[in-house]
Amino acid sequence: MNNVLQFRPKCPHVESLANCREALEPLVMKILGEAIGKGYPPAEAAMVVADIADDYILMLSRQLTL
């Protein structure tokens, strides 16, 4: 899997993001593997995970504007 963090400009949060990705990526890959094992196509499983993450980001953004 490509590390998208290498393409981001250097900023104070890059190290934190890299550490977070290192911690979470194996868990997300496990979720995807389990979904694929249940018969869901890999791209569909990945899109659902991304959609869930996007919904969470939108929820957080709404909380910040209140």
Side-chain angles (χ1 to χ4, degrees), residues 8-64:
R8 295 185 183 191
K10 292 291 182 190
C11 69
H13 303 290
V14 169
E15 187 173 324
S16 173
L17 289 171
N19 292 340
C20 186
R21 183 181 179 121
E22 185 177 333
L24 295 180
E25 189 168 10
L27 301 171
V28 172
M29 295 306 290
K30 181 179 180 197
I31 290 168
L32 291 171
E34 289 177 8
I36 293 164
K38 291 179 180 179
Y40 294 101
E44 182 178 329
M47 285 298 297
V48 168
V49 169
D51 191 44
I52 292 166
D54 188 48
D55 288 345
Y56 188 72
I57 291 167
L58 291 172
M59 180 196 71
L60 291 174
S61 71
R62 285 191 297 271
Q63 290 175 355
L64 292 174

